[in-house]
Amino acid sequence: EVQLVESGGGLVKPGGSLRLSCVASGFTFSSHSMHWVRQAPGKGLVWVSRITNDGSETTYADSVQGRFTISRDNAKNTVFLQMNSLRTEDTAVYYCARSSGGYFDLWGQGILVTVSS
Amino acid sequence: DIVMTQSPDSLAVSLGERATINCRASQSILYSSNNKNYLAWYQQKPGQPPKLLIYWASIRESGVPDRFSGSGSGTDFTLTISSLQAEDVAVYYCQQYYGSQFTFGPGTRVDLK
């Protein structure tokens, strides 16, 4: 089955860290750029970060630049999002998404990250 | 960065009637070398991840009903649902993938009247 499954979310205090994982299956993972998109409770979609298929290039939203790091392990079909210096405004459901030509044609179910003291 | 706006914020449409959602980019997202508009539309239902409906502004994703269509070029785009069905109640987002930052519009909520 073609799917993306996120894990690693949870409750963390402001200033803390969390590492999200997204495992892909059912397709050639190493052929696709991968993205993270987040959605705060009751709000819209916000793009967070992108990594190219070979991991050579990464891009970040201004709001997370310098705090978040995206990486991937093509041998394990997994993309990661290391989140440091977390703020309350980072509270959201985080989705990983597969890119095909730039648009996102496959999404995970999402994982909740709550930043609160 | 390219800013995406959508109108209206929400709309209520009767079953079988047409729904039209507009999306505007702060700069052209038409790439002249390939004449493609770098715009996608997504549908999101409560508690679910977004679902791709349209890409390259007008190409329907496989499996998407043909009552959904996309149009427009440059900075102005439209998503049309030709005959609204109950299962189309959702929030719809446009997204540009032209720039290095992949921005979404704020969303348009579609409800039944």
Side-chain angles (χ1 to χ4, degrees), chain A residues 2-116:
Chain A
V2 177
Q3 63 178 358
L4 299 169
V5 179
E6 303 97 337
S7 61
L11 174 64
V12 62
K13 289 182 168 52
S17 298
L18 214 54
R19 189 195 200 202
L20 304 183
S21 300
C22 171
V23 178
S25 58
F27 65 95
T28 305
F29 180 71
S30 60
S31 295
H32 294 268
S33 291
M34 296 296 295
H35 297 250
W36 289 95
V37 176
R38 70 185 181 185
Q39 186 169 36
K43 302 298 185 182
L45 301 171
V46 176
W47 173 81
V48 173
S49 183
R50 176 209 69 161
I51 186 166
T52 52
N53 66 310
D54 62 357
S56 62
E57 294 181 30
T58 59
T59 318
Y60 300 91
D62 293 344
S63 59
V64 306
Q65 179 77 49
R67 299 188 300 122
F68 290 11
T69 303
I70 190 171
S71 62
R72 66 189 295 161
D73 183 339
N74 283 348
K76 295 183 178 180
N77 289 349
T78 304
V79 60
F80 304 97
L81 187 67
Q82 177 67 43
M83 305 185 294
N84 298 331
S85 303
L86 282 161
R87 306 166 179 167
T88 54
E89 56 265 35
D90 295 318
T91 294
V93 172
Y94 285 73
Y95 297 100
C96 67
R98 181 181 77 176
S99 174
S100 294
Y103 50 89
F104 304 165
D105 65 345
L106 180 66
W107 296 68
Q109 283 298 310
I111 191 81
L112 178 62
V113 171
T114 303
V115 184
S116 174

Side-chain angles (χ1 to χ4, degrees), chain B residues 28-39:
Chain B
S28 176
I29 53 176
L30 171 63
Y31 193 39
S32 56
S33 67
N34 60 11
N35 201 36
K36 286 185 173 182
N37 288 284
Y38 284 55
L39 183 104

Side-chain angles (χ1 to χ4, degrees), chain B residues 15-108:
Chain B
L15 281 173
E17 295 301 303
R18 177 184 301 259
T20 302
I21 301 169
N22 300 301
C23 173
R24 175 167 289 174
S26 60
Q27 66 184 72
S28 176
I29 53 176
L30 171 63
Y31 193 39
S32 56
S33 67
N34 60 11
N35 201 36
K36 286 185 173 182
N37 288 284
Y38 284 55
L39 183 104
W41 288 96
Y42 301 87
Q43 174 193 65
Q44 188 179 32
K45 298 180 180 180
Q48 296 184 18
K51 173 188 173 184
L52 176 68
L53 294 177
I54 303 283
Y55 57 96
W56 301 127
S58 62
I59 307 297
R60 198 179 302 115
E61 172 72 332
S62 175
V64 173
D66 61 7
R67 62 181 179 272
F68 291 92
S69 63
S71 62
S73 184
T75 61
D76 292 289
F77 301 90
T78 300
L79 174 70
T80 301
I81 310 173
S82 61
S83 176
L84 191 80
Q85 303 302 302
E87 61 265 32
D88 301 334
V89 170
V91 179
Y92 293 83
Y93 297 92
C94 61
Q95 179 223 5
Q96 65 81 19
Y97 45 99
Y98 182 94
S100 60
Q101 310 234 331
F102 297 68
T103 44
F104 290 88
T108 294

